[in-house]
Each structure stands twice: as structure tokens, then as C-alpha cells.
Amino acid sequence: MSVQQIDAQWLPQEGETLVFDVNPVLNERHTHYCPGCHHGIAHRLVSEVLHELGVADRTILVAAVGCATFTYDYFNVDGLEAPHGRACAVATGVRRARPESVVFTYQGDGDMAAIGMAESLHAANRGEKITTIFINNTVYGMTGGQMAPTTLLGQKTTTTRQGRDINNEGGPIRMAEIMAQLDGVAYSARCSLDSVKNVRAAKSAVRKAFDVQLQGLGFGFIELLSGCPTNWHLDPIAANKRIAEAMIPVFPLGVYKDVTAGQEAGEAGRE
Amino acid sequence: MSQGQNSSERILIKGNEAVAFGAVDAGCRCYFGYPITPQNEIPEVLSSLLPENGGQFVQAESEVAAVNMLLGAAACGIPALTSSSSCGISLMQEGISYMAGSHIPGVMVNMQRGGPGLGDIGPSQGDYFQAVKGGGHGDHRNLTLAPATAQECYDFMFRAFALAFKYANPVMVLGDAIVGQIKEPVRRVAPADAVSPEALAAMSKDWRLEGFGKRGAGASPRLLKSVYLAEGALAERNRMLMAKHEAMKAECAWECVDVEDAELVVVAFGSIGRIARSAIRQLRAEGHKIGLFRPITLFPFPEEALRAIAPGRRFLVMEQNTGQMVEDVRLALFAQPGITGSSVLWHGIMPGLFIGADALRDPMLQALKEK
Ligand SMILES: Cc1ncc(C[n+]2csc(CCOP(=O)(O)OP(=O)(O)O)c2C)c(N)n1
Ligand code: SF4
């Protein structure tokens, strides 16, 4: 695998305007994700942000366990595999060893909010200068659709056959809100990948989650509500509908913390 | 206290402090750990020593997190360290297996305490199996070094980093509550065979993660991983690991004391090796033909060296557990014509007990008699 050079034939010819650039941070490997899965969109957003920031050549990706284990096969950046749940601890080691690098983790809800809850919260609380992309699809995708910490109440999974019951399994964990409580977190937001409008908003939030790292302000966290058509047993359109109708009411979209917001307001106020 | 100390100067420090000084002098720049007795002086000293030397110290939220931080830092080609004791090392097995599978050179120190379970905080050699047989899931081995003195705690840190980088493999320094807590004079001078931090950096240039931009124009991204799903890919990977374990045999190290004319050779490692030596000295002075074989690398086990001294001798394995290294000694020796079960005796000291040389005299005398 080598970083792609943009062939001259793809650049705008006379009379043409470039509206969509080739993104050299993402390669052309065939996807292993299911049709309609949002991991691909999330990859696209993150890679575009790295491209626009011009930092891919100093970026180190820490991949997690789950459907996105092979994240590193799509990104043209240095990469490393973490054990299930430990991506934020591994990223801590990477960042401490190479303070000049840009480090991000890409983790599912099982990975981050179940087995890796301690590692995730403590890295955030220490204010590690890393960015975490958190994919909330309310199930364990790779292992075949078992309950995740984010599974909705009443949602049927292979391990909650009658639907998730608050008295037995507890309620869905809201990571963006939890992260916002921690002193080391510079930015925490929840976005959704179900519609063009929401995808656009997600892109600028992903960018912010990297900006705070680059500015050395602390931990950047972005939760992306994503579809898992396969384990929801829905077609991709119906999966998008489920995000809008069932997930967003439980996981409200929004920015839960942004330490730069005050700065900007302050500066604006002085003008 | 500074590096480049006069080689005749000695400082009075604990084994644990010697580990910390040795690590930093050997080039360690990152430490990740979680407190546990009897090794707390290691993180305590490093929490100031590392930042003073341009390094990073992180008190992790658990041993699970600490070993995974180690994995991340070591993947960047930076000499990195963690330390713990017994039950903490159990929690680290996940990361150790992943490091072995991904060719990442982590160094960890285990100052063993009594187990199983929470056990006690006294000395033990009960983690021998866990250290030398891999410990984590899958087919892997850790290079394992067993210091017996505070000086060796210092010196072996240089060796641990050199071996970790040479083989891109986890290296464990297996001490115990005695060697960690004993306070004795140490020369803070790099051992003759020390590999410089610059040489360590050169050893990592073909695999370390740094962002491909650092490797010049046209560089490809790098990936460190342990997952191999394609048919036959993992088999190939494990064959390569096996070859690596075989190559490690070149690193076998041991110490022989008074074996030339010995009828009985005591085999003991670490603190017990050292206590056994005191008992052997006394028995020698009383005219008994007894010697000591002290393995320094526990994996690879110095089996050739042991076999070389086997003809015409009997062996007494002494260890602070319920019988672990004795299995490797028997494996090594029973391949030798004429050596049988009665030629390899065993005496165990139970974990948590602080014994002196006197306690080892009787079992040695008994073994000498049992011809
Ligand atoms: C220690 C450990 N326990 C369990 C597993 C099995 N496992 C693999 S992926 C996974 C769930 C991942 O779910 P999530 O993080 O939500 O990601 P998704 O697959 O939905 O993208 C589990 C439990 C593992 N690999 N390691
Ligand atoms: S199982 Fe779900 S999360 Fe995994 S690739 Fe398929 S749709 Fe995506």
C-alpha cells in the first residue's frame, strides 16, 4: 500500500470546476462493510478532515476491535491494532511517545462503552491529546448482533431476545454527555450519519474534535449515530429512519462541550 | 546523582530503585504503571526521574491500561517500561500477548509476591510458569531475565531493552519481594555490553510508527498488528515466531559456582539462587562437594549449559514455589544419558516466607547423603 498520487487526468480540465476532490488519505480498497453500513461514511469524513488539515503524514491511527478492526486497511496513515476496548490506552502510549504526532482512535460502542469504559474515561480525564471517533450503532456488529451498552430499551438483540429491560440490563449509556463531564475533555459532541444534512454537520464536528487535539487543548470526542442494517434486520433506508425516529430521541444530537466556544465568544465580544 | 559516575563509586539503593535508574540510563523514556507492593519504588523514582530526563511518566488506571500504554509507546520505537507484581502481571497478559503477536518490544518488571490470588506481599517465585511459558493466550514466549542482586536489577535493564529491540519481543525481568526491597551498593555505570539508546533507535527504524512523513518522500504507511485471517497467514506468522524463539537461545545466560568437582549441583534462580550460594559456601568450607548453577535467562532456559555439567553429578532444584522450574530442569537433563528421576531432587520453599541460608543447609546435606 502506498500513498496515492493524484493522476493529472483527474484534475479539472479547461472549462471544468472541481467540486469533489480525490482524497489521498483514503485508498481504493474494496469495502468489507455491509451494504448501507455507516462505517464507510465515517471513514470518509475522518479522512477528509485529515486531508484538509494536512496532517496525514504525521497521523497514527489506533484501530479497535469490532467491525471496524480493519479501519487501518482503508486509511493511508501509520496504524496500530489495540486489544478490545484498549484503544484509548494504546493511543495514550503513542501520544506520550510521539508528542508531535496526530493520534486518533476509531471505536465501536461495545469497544468503548463496555469492555473499554475505564480506559476511555481515564484517557479523556487525563486530557490526552487524542481524538476518539465513537461509532454508536446500538449493537455488537462483528460478533453477530448482541446487546451493546447503547442498545435501546425494548430493542431486541441476540442476547436480549425479549427486548432490553432496564431492570435487568440497565439503560442505554450516553457517552457524549459522560465525556463532557470530564475536565480533560476539550470537545464532546454527538452527530448522526442518517441524512445528508446530519452528515454535513458531522463533518464539521469531526474537524473540531481534531482541532482541539492540534491546539493541544485536550481530548476530542465525537459520537456518530450509525446504522447497522445487518443486525437491525432492516434495509438501509429503514435503518436511516430508525436512527431519526428511535435513536435521536434517546441520544440527542448536539455539542456537549467545546472549550473553544468560550474563547471565540470572548474574542467576538471584544471586537 | 548523575550518569557517568566514577566506576569505583557505589550508591546504596534498593533493587527497585536500581531498576528505575537502570531503565533511565539504558534509554527508557516512557513508563506506565499502577501501584502494587513490593515494587512501588520503581514508579515512585521514575515519576521524577523520567520527566527530568525528557521522558513521560503516567500512573495508569489499571495494569490493563498500563500494559496497553506500553504497547502504544513501544510501537513507536521508544524504549518503554512497565512494572508490577504477580496479580498485576496477570492483568497485563492481554497486552503481552498482543505485543508478542505484533512484534512490539515491551519491557516489564515483575517483582513477584505470594499467590495464587491476592496471596501476600512476601517473596515468591510462583510466577515462573507464567513468565517463561508465555502467560498470555496464543503461542508466544517472553525473554525472561532473573536478577539476584540490586546491581543485577540495574544491569539487566540495559540487557532487557537491548534484547527487546533485537527480537521485537516482550522481555520480562522477573524479580521478587527480596530483590526488589533489598538495599545494597550499586555501581550506576552502564555495563560493558550495554547497547546505546542511539543504537536502540537504529534497531527500530524498519518498523516503528512515527507518521509516514518522517520517513521521507514516497514512504508508505506502516501497520503493526497481530490479526491474520487469511488462510495460512497465521500459520506463517506463528512459524516465524517459533523461529524467533529458537534464535533467542543464543541469549542463554547462567552462572556456575564451584561446580568443577561438585557431586551435587544446586539449581536455583534469583533471590533463592543467592541464598543458596551462601549455604553452599558454608558447606564447601566444611568440605562438602557442592556447587551452584543459577539460570539468568529463564526463557530461553540454559539447558545446553546444564547438560554440559551433568555427567557424574546429581542435581537439587531449590525454588520458592510448589515445583515449577524443576520441570524445565528435568526436561533438560533427562535427555542426558544416565540421568534419572533420582538424579534430580527438588526442595520447595513456600511463598511468603523469608528464609535464610540456614534453612537451605539441611535439605542440601540430606541431598548430599542420598547418593
Ligand atoms: C477480549 C475480547 N472479548 C471479546 C471479543 C469479541 N468481540 C469482537 S468484536 C466485539 C463487539 C464489537 O462491537 P462494537 O464495538 O460495538 O463494534 P461493531 O462491531 O458494532 O462495529 C466483541 C465482543 C474480543 N475480540 N476480545
Ligand atoms: S455488521 Fe453492522 S456495523 Fe458491521 S459492517 Fe455490517 S452493517 Fe456495519
Side-chain angles (χ1 to χ4, degrees):
Chain A
M1 184 171 57
S2 78
V3 179
Q4 297 159 346
Q5 293 300 316
I6 300 171
D7 200 310
Q9 64 166 315
W10 303 115
L11 296 174
Q13 310 289 306
E14 221 182 295
E16 293 175 342
T17 313
L18 185 71
V19 291
F20 196 72
D21 198 0
V22 172
N23 170 7
V25 180
L26 210 59
N27 59 43
E28 291 181 11
R29 188 180 292 263
H30 287 286
T31 184
H32 79 284
Y33 297 112
C34 305
C37 177
H38 287 161
H39 273 305
I41 297 177
H43 284 22
R44 176 85 211 179
L45 298 185
V46 174
S47 62
E48 281 178 3
V49 165
L50 292 175
H51 180 39
E52 288 161 18
L53 291 169
V55 296
D57 67 345
R58 60 185 174 106
T59 295
I60 301 177
L61 151 65
V62 180
V65 167
C67 284
T69 297
F70 304 109
T71 318
Y72 45 61
D73 282 343
Y74 303 104
F75 281 82
N76 290 323
V77 300
D78 274 9
L80 175 61
E81 163 201 274
H84 195 27
R86 320 295 179 220
C88 282
V90 172
T92 298
V94 170
R95 197 58 159 80
R96 298 296 182 122
R98 295 217 169 274
E100 72 288 0
S101 58
V102 174
V103 185
F104 77 101
T105 71
Y106 187 103
Q107 302 174 256
D109 40 36
D111 196 81
M112 170 163 247
I115 186 168
M117 186 65 124
E119 288 77 10
S120 305
L121 294 189
H122 284 276
N125 192 51
R126 282 190 304 270
E128 297 295 342
K129 276 94 191 146
I130 60 179
T131 300
T132 287
I133 315 296
F134 173 61
I135 304 295
N136 176 357
N137 60 13
T138 73
V139 281
Y140 285 14
M142 176 175 263
T143 41
Q146 296 86 4
M147 183 188 73
T150 46
T151 294
L152 302 181
L153 288 176
Q155 183 181 337
K156 289 185 175 152
T157 72
T158 59
T159 51
T160 53
R161 291 183 185 268
Q162 307 305 317
R164 183 178 189 165
D165 174 359
I166 196 161
N167 293 315
N168 202 44
E169 287 94 27
I173 292 180
R174 294 175 184 84
M175 287 302 290
E177 288 87 333
I178 293 175
M179 282 293 180
Q181 304 293 313
L182 302 172
D183 287 342
V185 173
Y187 181 77
S188 175
R190 180 182 295 117
C191 299
S192 172
L193 302 180
D194 65 315
S195 67
V196 174
K197 178 174 150 270
N198 283 341
V199 169
R200 279 184 195 277
K203 165 105 182 258
S204 46
V206 169
R207 165 113 195 197
K208 275 247 151 178
F210 277 98
D211 278 343
V212 292
Q213 173 182 173
L214 292 172
Q215 291 171 46
L217 297 174
F219 190 87
F221 178 80
I222 173 91
E223 175 170 346
L224 298 173
L225 301 185
S226 307
C228 178
T230 301
N231 288 300
W232 294 354
H233 309 294
L234 295 174
D235 66 49
I237 307 286
N240 279 347
K241 207 161 161 254
R242 175 181 184 266
I243 295 177
E245 291 172 3
M247 276 176 79
I248 292 177
V250 179
F251 298 109
L253 306 186
V255 177
Y256 289 89
K257 184 170 188 182
D258 182 357
V259 297
T260 67
Q263 287 173 10
E264 280 161 15
E267 276 158 21
R270 271 196 296 275
E271 270 169 18
Chain B
M1 197 180 320
S2 70
Q3 253 181 288
Q5 224 189 348
N6 182 322
S7 62
S8 64
E9 262 175 50
R10 295 196 294 168
I11 49 175
L12 188 66
I13 50 173
K14 286 187 175 186
N16 284 335
E17 294 169 304
V19 163
F21 290 130
V24 171
D25 294 351
C28 173
R29 286 298 171 269
C30 286
Y31 174 91
F32 311 98
Y34 186 83
I36 183 170
T37 307
Q39 61 80 57
N40 288 326
E41 294 82 1
I42 300 175
E44 284 166 0
V45 171
L46 286 173
S47 68
S48 53
L49 201 56
L50 267 175
E52 282 164 18
N53 284 274
Q56 293 277 332
F57 171 91
V58 180
Q59 180 168 325
E61 60 273 23
S62 70
E63 289 84 353
V64 176
V67 77
N68 283 292
M69 292 173 188
L70 175 69
L71 185 154
C76 296
I78 304 297
L81 175 74
T82 188
S83 63
S84 190
S85 179
S86 300
C87 42
I89 295 289
S90 287
L91 283 177
M92 291 188 180
Q93 294 304 329
E94 172 187 70
I96 295 172
S97 171
Y98 273 76
M99 279 190 276
S102 310
H103 279 300
I104 294 175
V107 173
M108 55 255 168
V109 175
N110 179 1
M111 290 301 182
Q112 296 165 93
R113 51 191 255 174
L118 200 50
D120 72 8
I121 56 169
S124 165
Q125 296 182 327
D127 304 347
Y128 176 91
F129 277 155
Q130 190 191 45
V132 307
K133 307 294 179 189
H137 61 283
D139 273 338
H140 74 95
R141 295 287 190 279
N142 315 315
L143 270 146
T144 306
L145 303 173
T149 62
Q151 184 68 55
E152 284 188 345
C153 286
Y154 179 84
D155 293 348
F156 284 10
M157 296 315 294
F158 288 83
R159 204 183 288 194
F161 282 107
L163 291 174
F165 275 66
K166 179 170 176 187
Y167 292 97
N169 201 74
V171 172
M172 179 170 285
V173 175
L174 188 68
D176 64 32
I178 295 176
V179 80
Q181 292 299 327
I182 199 164
K183 203 164 193 178
E184 52 188 354
V186 170
R187 284 193 177 82
R188 193 181 168 189
V189 177
D193 60 352
V195 175
S196 70
E198 296 72 33
L200 288 181
M203 284 155 97
S204 73
K205 75 175 188 335
D206 292 336
W207 52 261
R208 67 181 174 227
L209 303 183
E210 55 208 338
F212 63 83
K214 281 227 171 133
R215 298 191 287 275
S220 300
R222 279 181 184 157
L223 174 62
L224 295 184
K225 62 163 188 170
S226 65
V227 61
Y228 290 91
L229 293 182
E231 173 83 17
L234 185 64
E236 195 186 313
R237 185 82 174 170
N238 274 271
R239 262 185 223 111
M240 193 254 283
L241 288 178
M242 208 167 101
K244 194 158 95 165
H245 302 152
E246 197 57 32
M248 288 173 186
K249 287 192 176 158
E251 313 300 338
C252 279
W254 64 92
E255 183 192 32
C256 280
V257 182
D258 290 339
V259 294
E260 292 76 18
D261 64 342
E263 289 162 16
L264 181 75
V265 174
V266 173
V267 185
F269 73 95
S271 300
I272 297 298
R274 177 181 186 164
I275 297 166
R277 177 166 31 187
S278 303
I280 287 164
R281 278 215 191 102
Q282 289 171 16
L283 293 175
R284 271 270 158 194
E286 292 163 22
H288 297 283
K289 292 193 167 172
I290 182 167
L292 173 72
F293 182 91
R294 176 170 73 96
I296 288 173
T297 53
L298 299 182
F299 181 86
F301 192 74
E303 48 188 23
E304 292 287 343
L306 193 59
R307 274 201 283 276
I309 61 164
R313 299 200 166 88
R314 289 175 315 109
F315 292 86
L316 170 62
V317 178
M318 300 189 123
E319 50 185 334
Q320 190 158 25
N321 56 44
T322 60
Q324 298 191 22
M325 182 175 70
V326 63
E327 292 189 9
D328 284 340
V329 172
R330 287 185 173 135
L331 266 177
L333 290 179
F334 287 2
Q336 188 78 9
I339 301 280
T340 63
S342 60
S343 319
V344 180
L345 306 168
W346 177 79
H347 177 78
I349 303 104
M350 288 308 105
L353 301 175
F354 286 85
I355 54 132
D358 286 352
L360 300 185
R361 263 180 71 92
D362 277 351
M364 286 181 188
L365 281 169
Q366 183 68 28
L368 279 162
K369 261 192 261 155
E370 272 179 35
K371 283 183 203 175

